[in-house]
Amino acid sequence: MADFVAGGVGGAVGVAVGYPLDTIKVRIQTQRSFHGVWHCIHSTYQLEKLPGFFKGMSMPVSTVCVSSSIIFGTYRNCLHSICKLRYGNSGAKPSKADIFASGYAAGAVQTLVTSPADVAKVRLQTQMHPHHSLQSASLVSVPKYRGPVHCLMTIDRDRTSTR
């Protein structure tokens, strides 16, 4: 349990520290209006202030604990099952191939959680919206996505309505 909590807290802090740079990277990769890192940083701060660097961060922070538990749980259960099938004992020393197969399975299962979270994160990061202190009362614009869950629900609704 202590490893899970430590991993969750460490993962959340790691996300918070690196997230502003990730936002800048994603914006430069997806939007042609920026002429470099400093231009992107300056423009983001001018338009959105400090919150603009952290758009969509709640999704990676909330999924880091879930993702870690899925990875470690899948890896451990898969490795125990492989050892039990191959050697008749789940406590037997696994081969490198057994370890590889367990890690591969854990990574495959992890994508079920991280892929939707990454889609929401990138959509929120690329959504440019003026900070409320910069908007006049008559020109209030509403962002397309209000948060990560709303983003995923909107994507799903848009995807199903085009079928």
Side-chain angles (χ1 to χ4, degrees):
M1 182 64 169
D3 289 340
F4 177 74
V5 172
V9 171
V13 170
V15 168
V17 168
Y19 203 81
L21 294 175
D22 187 57
T23 299
I24 298 304
K25 175 197 69 144
V26 166
R27 287 185 174 183
I28 289 172
Q29 289 174 336
T30 60
Q31 298 173 12
R32 302 278 182 221
S33 59
F34 299 113
H35 307 292
V37 174
W38 295 112
H39 181 244
C40 185
I41 291 170
H42 183 261
S43 299
T44 299
Y45 185 77
Q46 288 294 92
L47 182 64
E48 302 173 274
K49 302 295 181 210
L50 202 55
F53 294 99
F54 295 94
K55 282 186 170 180
M57 189 176 84
S58 61
M59 184 62 89
V61 167
S62 63
T63 59
V64 74
C65 292
V66 174
S67 180
S68 294
S69 65
I70 287 172
I71 292 168
F72 290 114
T74 302
Y75 174 79
R76 180 171 292 184
N77 288 330
C78 192
L79 192 58
H80 284 296
S81 297
I82 288 172
C83 288
K84 191 170 186 175
L85 285 170
R86 288 189 72 195
Y87 311 114
N89 179 7
S90 63
K93 184 176 180 189
S95 70
K96 289 179 182 175
D98 300 336
I99 293 169
F100 173 80
S102 297
Y104 187 84
V109 172
Q110 179 193 19
T111 61
L112 298 174
V113 172
T114 57
S115 292
D118 258 5
V119 168
K121 175 188 77 88
V122 169
R123 295 273 180 109
L124 288 164
Q125 285 176 323
T126 57
Q127 177 177 266
M128 301 289 285
H129 186 262
H131 189 263
H132 63 84
S133 67
L134 300 175
Q135 294 181 14
S136 68
S138 62
L139 297 174
V140 175
S141 64
V142 178
K144 182 174 182 177
Y145 307 117
R146 295 187 304 261
V149 174
H150 179 258
C151 178
L152 291 173
M153 289 172 44
T154 303
I155 292 167
D156 185 56
R157 185 188 68 232
D158 292 347
R159 183 183 59 82
T160 56
S161 68
T162 59
R163 285 186 182 179

